[in-house]
Amino acid sequence: MFRRKPQNQEIDTAERDIKVQQLRDALGPLTGRSLKFCTDACLRRYLEARNWNLGKAQKMLEESIKWRSEYKPEEIRWHEVAHEGETGKVSKANFHDRKGRTVLIMRPGKQNTSSPEGNIRHLVYLMENAILNLPEGQEQMSWLIDFNGWSLNTNVPIKTARDIIYILQNHYPERLAIVVLYSPPRIFEAFWKVVKYFVDQKTFQKIKFVYPNNKDSLEVMKSFFDSENLPSEFGGKATLKYDHEEFSRLMAEDDVKTAKYWGLDKNGSYESNGYSNSEVKREPLSLAPPAV
């Protein structure tokens, strides 16, 4: 009898290259920002997120192109979201993980605003910034989440958390290497029981609950981070001190790099026609969560 080939069987490099080209052909002509966005590496991430299913990856990527054309994440500038970052609730670390990847540090206990859209735009800005600063050859980043001072009063609403997860999973697929939830309080479990249903299985496996007195947890941290660089809040030897003025200076410098990368002119418009690909289909958003 013939054996059916497993649907999730790993495909080889040659097959992947063919899939990338097929996806590019299926998208049709691209211009401006959409062309800049749709690198071969980008196409591979979307294919990986959809288990190399060409049709599903195409639909997912077209929805991201549409989202980017409307939300314009690459046009967000630090001065527009700086007020959200005054307490250092989300910031880019001044160190990398063991593989040289950008690290984002999140401290939900320092939540300082109640604006869902403000929180989302702030995080999207920092995602775009982290991606811009990834070392050559790196596609992913690491997240460290410190629960010191966290409570239900400082927590973002479940709807906002769901919206954030949706954006991350649908428009930033395969961008996360690991998410460390460091020493979350017991009360967080109630919130997590609801939120985890919005997270797909592949992404779920990247989320690590880490506790200071747990041997396995310490091994996880050692495998991803150098204790000399790691802040003491995460069991390391370094000191974490957020200086909003200094961080703002660095972000302003990066905004110049962002504008240059995307081809912005002095008037804030693009030198080429961005997102004008008429072939992009306008299908309803799929709520099926791909992997981050």
Side-chain angles (χ1 to χ4, degrees):
M1 295 181 66
F2 293 102
R3 289 186 177 182
R4 180 178 296 177
K5 182 179 178 180
Q7 290 184 349
N8 294 326
Q9 182 172 322
E10 191 72 20
I11 63 176
D12 60 30
T13 302
E15 287 180 286
R16 292 187 178 202
D17 290 342
I18 291 173
K19 288 278 190 179
V20 169
Q21 187 57 52
Q22 288 176 333
L23 178 53
R24 187 170 297 285
D25 292 342
L27 289 173
L30 299 171
T31 61
R33 284 175 280 179
S34 54
L35 178 61
K36 185 79 170 177
F37 176 70
C38 291
T39 62
D40 283 355
C42 172
L43 269 56
R44 288 191 186 94
R45 287 195 304 273
Y46 279 80
L47 284 162
E48 179 69 31
R50 288 307 196 189
N51 294 317
W52 295 87
N53 181 297
L54 181 61
K56 291 180 179 180
Q58 179 185 351
K59 182 178 180 180
M60 180 187 181
L61 182 49
E62 287 174 343
E63 289 296 343
S64 285
I65 292 173
K66 178 183 177 183
W67 175 77
R68 293 184 72 89
S69 72
E70 296 171 348
Y71 200 84
K72 296 179 173 57
E74 70 279 9
E75 290 188 16
I76 303 173
R77 294 294 174 260
W78 176 248
H79 71 270
E80 301 172 16
V81 297
H83 63 285
E84 291 284 349
E86 288 178 351
T87 58
K89 63 185 177 186
V90 186
S91 62
K92 184 177 65 179
N94 61 356
F95 62 91
H96 295 82
D97 67 11
R98 287 191 180 277
K99 292 189 176 182
R101 294 177 291 221
T102 302
V103 177
L104 285 186
I105 294 178
M106 303 183 179
R107 298 187 282 181
K110 294 186 176 295
Q111 179 61 252
N112 61 326
T113 71
S114 58
S115 168
E117 181 57 24
N119 277 283
I120 292 172
R121 281 180 64 81
H122 180 234
L123 181 57
V124 167
Y125 170 88
L126 288 169
M127 283 293 295
E128 292 284 319
N129 180 269
I131 292 168
L132 180 72
N133 285 285
L134 284 172
E136 185 175 354
Q138 287 288 2
E139 294 290 316
Q140 297 182 316
M141 67 190 74
S142 297
W143 283 14
L144 289 173
I145 304 179
D146 172 23
F147 280 88
N148 183 43
W150 181 91
S151 69
L152 290 178
N153 291 329
T154 62
N155 192 49
V156 297
I158 289 178
K159 182 182 184 303
T160 303
R162 181 180 182 179
D163 290 343
I164 289 172
I165 291 170
Y166 181 84
I167 288 173
L168 292 173
Q169 293 188 152
N170 283 273
H171 304 314
Y172 295 94
E174 295 299 317
R175 282 301 192 184
L176 294 182
I178 184 175
V179 179
V180 173
L181 305 181
Y182 196 84
S183 195
R186 185 173 296 275
I187 194 173
F188 176 76
E189 294 178 7
F191 178 76
W192 177 245
K193 284 180 180 180
V194 177
V195 171
K196 69 179 182 180
Y197 290 106
F198 307 140
V199 182
D200 82 289
Q201 185 60 37
K202 191 172 183 180
T203 305
F204 189 86
Q205 294 173 356
K206 299 178 183 180
I207 299 173
K208 308 295 182 183
F209 281 73
V210 173
Y211 299 94
N213 299 320
N214 182 285
K215 183 179 179 181
D216 291 337
S217 291
L218 296 178
E219 289 302 315
V220 169
M221 296 301 284
K222 287 180 181 179
S223 66
F224 279 90
F225 305 98
D226 184 340
S227 63
E228 296 295 329
N229 298 327
L230 199 63
S232 57
E233 286 85 347
F234 299 98
K237 300 178 181 179
T239 300
L240 174 61
K241 183 180 179 181
Y242 178 75
D243 185 327
H244 187 61
E245 184 176 340
E246 174 62 14
F247 190 75
S248 294
R249 184 185 66 79
L250 295 173
M251 293 301 97
E253 291 178 357
D254 278 355
D255 282 351
V256 176
K257 290 165 53 179
T258 298
K260 183 177 180 180
Y261 178 82
W262 289 104
L264 282 166
D265 64 17
K266 294 181 181 180
N267 296 321
S269 60
Y270 284 84
E271 295 173 355
S272 55
N273 295 326
Y275 298 119
S276 60
N277 180 28
S278 60
E279 287 74 21
V280 175
K281 297 177 182 178
R282 297 295 183 254
E283 298 181 14
L285 286 172
S286 170
L287 293 179
V292 174

